Amino acid sequence: MGFAPTSERLRAFFYTGATRPVQFRLAQLARLSVALERHEAALLAALHADLGKSPFQGCATELGLVQMEIGHATRSLRRWAAPRKSRTPWFVAPARGWVQPEPFGVALILGPWNYPVQLLLSPLVSAIAAGNCAVLKPSELAPRTAEAVTGMIRDCFDEQFVTAVNGGAGVAEALLRERFDKIFFTGSTRVGRLVMAAAAKHLTPVTLELGGKCPAIVCADAPVELAARRIVWGKFMNAGQTCVAPDFVLVAREARDRFVTAMKSALQNFYGDDPARCVDYGRIVNQQHFERLVNYLPDGKIVLGGRNDAGNLFIAPTILTDVPPGAAVMQEEIFGPILPVLAFDQLDEALALLRDRPTPLALYLFTGDRATEGRVMAEVRSGGVCVNDVVSHMIGSALPFGGLGASGMGAYHGRAGFEAFTHQRAVLRRATWLDLPFRYPPQKLSLAGLKRAMRFLLGD
Ligand code: NAD
């Protein structure tokens, strides 16, 4: 390229100070909201073309969630961005101390393909709210959506402020060689490691929103039919291609048959006799993922589904039982419409199995017993927890959303998102009319005297 790297062009704009006033940020969020409405038809059509998402799904799980983030940030921004007063120690008195939330500068946001609008633009809302410039790199695996989002971004923002760059791994790698002030990555654990290694070169702070196998535990005391309905809703939306979808279920053996029957009946109600003809049921993103998923089918006994059609990238909602814990479907993140169901006799057994695995993004527990809830929370780690439901903990802006360990680091949504793109700058301003001499050498106070004084005075 014969011109400055992308990050440098945006940094020049950042240093004009234009993005700092809250008024500017609010105006840009309003522009984004309007652009989402203006480009709604193109975005929904692209989501349908890439992933078979119905307009309802596209609105509910993509555009609508971004609008919710914009609304929440707009209402809260003045409070989030306000300096927070802090106490100062007596020996610097008179002085004022405060925390000044400051934008990092230029943020790089790398998105995945499964919710290609929401997972690119929700972090953008946070980046803008915090006063940053941003470079977006949509996923190449949802190419129509990448193009539609890029068109919308071009239409909405000055390209010195927010810009979108399309392309695959090579383009992402080239961007990662540049110096950004913050990197926000959503995608696989494998690529997350590469992103963090690249960020280390410039010591750029990262938020990593990664994947993993989210378990659901269904205890014998749970309302089994309700658990079945909620689990299949979260599992089979977007044909199972959801980072927080329950990946597999551990169910108390005595409840297993009732649970499986209830899941079958819920799936029948949701998608009818032929899910291939149901507008609410999605498609697998591409041939490679289709083949990867079909290879899991022999890993257990198919008690529902299994039907697939490569030409149409369709895999029916599938339930597997009798799956050995060592099977491939229990090792890798499934990320598709296949749900292994394993029975346990004692909760201990289930918890031991989970403790041996990488930390998941979400943990789902169905029980009416608070003691069981406390035990599971204490013994199994995860990014987030949802008791008696799935997925719902990440909808909306009130709770921070993020992983831990192999499922990521940092969080966003609402205030957590603002903070993910904010440096909490400590500021102390001292008065000049008083300058107590005791800290300056040569020291007149003995060591014992100093310790006595510290005991009295530094308690605060
Ligand atoms: P991915 O890691 O393959 O790709 C994500 C992004 O990284 C894309 O923009 C891609 O172009 C880029 N990329 C690919 N190779 C790269 C490389 N070598 N260097 C730099 N960048 C590279 O992930 P995906 O397949 O798009 O998404 C699926 C994964 O994302 C699943 O593991 C899923 O669980 C996870 N995910 C997590 C969340 C979350 O919020 N935690 C949300 C959605 C998806």
Side-chain angles (χ1 to χ4, degrees):
M1 273 192 260
F3 45 85
T6 313
S7 56
E8 288 308 320
R9 281 182 282 139
L10 275 75
R11 190 166 288 110
F13 183 72
F14 177 74
Y15 278 126
T16 66
T19 66
R20 286 178 169 264
V22 166
Q23 206 48 49
F24 174 87
R25 308 181 198 180
L26 290 170
Q28 301 304 318
L29 291 176
R31 285 178 72 90
L32 180 58
S33 175
V34 170
L36 275 166
E37 280 172 24
R38 210 172 29 228
H39 289 254
E40 181 182 290
L43 291 167
L44 292 178
L47 287 167
H48 186 263
D50 284 332
L51 290 150
K53 282 191 197 192
S54 66
F56 181 94
Q57 287 293 324
C59 250
T61 68
E62 302 252 19
L63 279 65
L65 293 184
V66 182
Q67 291 284 18
M68 274 167 68
E69 274 293 306
I70 294 174
H72 186 79
T74 301
R75 287 189 300 278
S76 317
L77 188 50
R78 285 190 191 283
R79 187 160 35 85
W80 295 342
R84 294 191 306 281
K85 206 170 163 238
S86 149
R87 296 172 76 180
T88 52
W90 66 270
F91 54 84
V92 295
R96 279 190 58 207
W98 69 95
V99 176
Q100 180 78 50
E102 298 236 332
F104 278 120
V106 183
L108 173 64
I109 300 174
L110 299 167
W113 52 264
N114 61 332
Y115 290 86
V117 174
Q118 188 230 130
L119 295 174
L120 196 70
L121 298 187
S122 287
L124 176 64
V125 172
S126 302
I128 292 174
N132 296 272
C133 296
V135 176
L136 308 178
K137 211 294 281 171
S139 169
E140 71 283 14
L141 297 193
R144 283 83 146 205
T145 312
E147 207 172 296
V149 168
T150 307
M152 186 195 79
I153 292 294
R154 207 177 298 129
D155 187 32
C156 181
F157 296 115
D158 180 338
E159 64 174 1
Q160 308 291 306
F161 169 51
V162 176
T163 190
V165 183
N166 266 325
V171 167
E173 283 164 359
L175 286 168
L176 285 167
R177 282 193 287 276
E178 296 186 24
R179 183 169 68 82
F180 284 90
D181 305 299
K182 168 80 194 186
I183 298 174
F184 190 104
F185 170 79
T186 306
S188 61
T189 303
R190 181 187 72 79
V191 177
R193 286 196 177 94
L194 301 176
V195 168
M196 196 165 171
K201 191 172 145 224
H202 300 291
L203 289 177
T204 303
V206 291
T207 298
L208 301 177
E209 297 280 337
L210 310 178
K213 290 178 85 63
C214 301
I217 305 175
V218 180
C219 297
D221 72 326
V224 167
E225 281 73 21
L226 183 74
R229 194 160 57 243
R230 290 183 177 176
I231 286 173
V232 294
W233 167 77
K235 174 71 186 185
F236 295 104
M237 95 176 38
N238 200 26
Q241 301 165 116
T242 303
C243 56
V244 284
D247 187 275
F248 61 96
V249 182
L250 298 169
V251 57
R253 192 174 302 281
E254 59 199 282
R256 189 188 76 167
D257 291 350
R258 207 151 51 89
F259 175 67
V260 170
T261 307
M263 284 201 294
K264 287 182 184 172
S265 130
L267 285 168
Q268 165 76 29
N269 289 339
F270 290 178
Y271 304 118
D273 291 330
D274 185 3
R277 293 161 61 141
C278 176
V279 291
D280 293 318
Y281 191 69
R283 292 294 178 271
I284 307 306
V285 67
N286 62 23
Q287 201 66 38
Q288 193 192 337
H289 279 281
F290 176 87
E291 277 157 28
R292 179 182 65 77
L293 290 163
V294 167
N295 284 336
Y296 289 138
L297 294 176
D299 280 1
K301 181 173 150 199
I302 298 175
V303 294
L304 184 80
R307 197 159 66 78
N308 55 82
D309 170 6
N312 200 8
L313 294 175
F314 166 80
I315 301 178
T318 298
I319 299 172
L320 299 180
T321 60
D322 304 280
V323 181
V329 76
M330 286 302 294
Q331 304 309 311
E332 298 138 16
E333 179 182 15
I334 299 172
F335 221 56
I338 300 170
L339 182 63
V341 177
L342 285 77
F344 65 83
D345 293 303
Q346 300 292 332
L347 188 59
D348 284 346
E349 236 178 87
L351 301 189
L353 185 129
L354 297 181
R355 272 199 303 271
D356 278 352
R357 293 170 167 270
T359 310
L361 186 55
L363 168 68
Y364 302 123
L365 172 67
F366 289 81
T367 181
D369 179 26
R370 289 288 165 89
T372 304
E373 184 185 312
R375 218 189 122 195
V376 173
M377 298 260 283
E379 294 187 27
V380 184
R381 298 181 351 139
S382 68
V385 176
C386 203
V387 180
N388 293 323
D389 201 359
V390 300
V391 180
S392 307
H393 66 296
M394 60 81 63
I395 302 171
S397 311
L399 287 172
F401 172 56
L404 181 70
S407 58
M409 63 181 67
Y412 73 125
H413 286 189
R415 183 165 200 143
F418 176 84
E419 286 174 357
F421 286 93
T422 296
H423 170 55
Q424 306 289 349
R425 191 179 203 182
V427 186
L428 184 116
R429 184 195 294 131
R430 284 193 76 183
T432 50
W433 56 267
L434 184 68
D435 194 29
L436 296 173
F438 62 83
R439 70 175 175 176
Y440 299 122
Q443 293 302 341
K444 303 202 176 55
L445 201 59
S446 68
L447 187 59
L450 172 71
K451 286 184 177 172
R452 253 196 319 277
M454 284 170 86
R455 265 200 301 279
F456 270 115
L457 300 168
L458 292 186
D460 174 6

